[in-house]
Amino acid sequence: MGIIDNLKQQNVNEKLIEDALYFKKYYKLEDSLQHRISQSNSYFYGKEIWDMCISAILEGENILLSGPKATGKNLLADNLSELFGRPQWNTSFHINTDSTTLIGTDTFIDNEVKLRRGSVYECAIHGGFGIFDEINMAKNDAIAVLHSALDHRRIIDVPGYERINLHPAARFIGTMNYEYAGTKELNEALVSRFMVIDIPSIGEDKLMLILNNEFPNADKEKLLQFAGIFLDLQLKSQNGEISSKSIDLRGLIGSLKTIKRGLSPELAINMGITGKTFDRYEKEIVGDIIKTRIPSIWNSKDVFPYNSLNNQLESSF
């Protein structure tokens, strides 16, 4: 199933889908940048979130995806790049991210000083989607250089070089998780330049939809137990009993993939979930939750009774 069929299945506003396809057709992209368009086998689920994101992007707005861990913020950003057919440049923010990382820095090429373009510069000239991953981990002075690019001016003034007008298709998508260590409150001036979309914690229906699409050959009742582990841990974290380290949807999916390959569920879930926390006390709590859901006698065929060697090979190569 492609992304358009998936959006229609979710009952996303059809007029918005049509407008997004027109956007893709209107802003042509050279062949050399086609490889930068995200191609995903997984899709974000949430009709209202999709409606908000597509509407904002069509109206020329930048968006900030905010929410707790494991809500699909990065997946949504990739899906938007695919839907609109725009090349993507990704910047993972950290304490040492500065303006040269974003705009560019002087470098010596062919016996002369030239600008080595940063991710924001590339987005500006090619009409790309710039992904600012964990934007609330960056220093305020690093992001201040983006203000003129993110507001109505849509320009970048590179000292010593030139003033760049942003391509009309260029957009910026920030993601932020307010639970990670090292995060901080965003500068008010920066937030005002984004449309903020708060993504809620994942529920059972949405989680089962994701897992069923990812693992159609799995036993549905067994899959429900793995979803239960995630939801139980999420509730424990919300109640302040454990940290969010073990609430890892990527880890859960990775565990199920290794079970499909033939690994025992007990070992697989240890790698994907239990091993994500290094606190001994918390690890015991996580382990107790897993034991109530996953019996130690389960093996790979209990979870994937309809799986065959051919299916395993096709999913890998």
Side-chain angles (χ1 to χ4, degrees), residues 16-27:
L16 291 177
I17 297 175
E18 291 174 6
D19 290 346
L21 291 175
Y22 181 80
F23 182 104
K24 179 180 179 179
K25 182 179 178 181
Y26 185 83
Y27 293 111

Side-chain angles (χ1 to χ4, degrees), residues 13 30-31 72 77 86 107 118 130 171 199 203 213 218 231 238-239 249 251 267 270 272 275 293 304 309-310:
N13 187 306
E30 57 244 53
D31 292 339
R86 303 314 303 169
T107 187
R171 303 288 188 275
I199 301 181
N213 283 344
L231 296 171
Q238 289 171 350
N239 292 336
L249 185 53
L267 292 177
N270 278 338
R293 294 278 187 177
F304 292 97
L309 178 59
N310 288 338

Side-chain angles (χ1 to χ4, degrees), residues 172-202:
F172 296 98
I173 302 173
T175 72
M176 60 176 281
N177 184 320
Y178 37 75
E179 296 175 345
Y180 285 161
T183 59
K184 56 182 178 55
E185 287 291 323
L186 284 179
N187 181 285
E188 185 177 345
L190 178 67
V191 176
S192 71
R193 287 165 166 81
F194 287 96
M195 297 289 279
V196 181
I197 300 172
D198 193 27
I199 301 181
S201 298
I202 193 167

Side-chain angles (χ1 to χ4, degrees), residues 212-228:
N212 280 321
N213 283 344
E214 189 79 28
F215 304 103
N217 293 329
D219 181 284
K220 304 309 177 190
E221 290 301 319
K222 301 292 193 302
L223 208 58
L224 189 60
Q225 294 304 314
F226 283 92

Side-chain angles (χ1 to χ4, degrees), residues 72-141:
K73 296 182 290 295
N74 293 105
L75 176 62
L76 177 56
D78 288 344
N79 289 168
L80 287 167
S81 167
E82 181 178 356
L83 174 63
F84 284 90
R86 303 314 303 169
Q88 183 185 119
W89 277 269
N90 195 300
T91 303
S92 294
F93 280 81
H94 51 81
I95 192 65
N96 293 321
T97 303
D98 58 19
S99 59
T100 61
T101 307
L102 305 172
I103 307 300
T105 185
D106 289 334
T107 187
F108 201 65
I109 302 174
D110 296 331
N111 294 321
E112 61 178 313
V113 176
K114 293 184 178 180
L115 181 71
R116 185 180 66 193
R117 298 171 179 172
S119 57
V120 173
Y121 193 116
E122 294 287 0
C123 282
I125 61 175
H126 294 299
F129 280 13
I131 311 302
F132 297 151
D133 197 16
E134 303 301 344
I135 193 171
N136 56 333
M137 294 189 76
K139 296 177 293 186
N140 287 332
D141 56 341

Side-chain angles (χ1 to χ4, degrees), residues 130-162:
I131 311 302
F132 297 151
D133 197 16
E134 303 301 344
I135 193 171
N136 56 333
M137 294 189 76
K139 296 177 293 186
N140 287 332
D141 56 341
I143 305 176
V145 300
L146 300 178
H147 286 179
S148 62
L150 295 171
D151 63 22
H152 66 281
R153 291 170 288 179
R154 291 180 62 81
I155 62 168
I156 300 173
D157 215 337
V158 185
Y161 288 92
E162 57 187 334

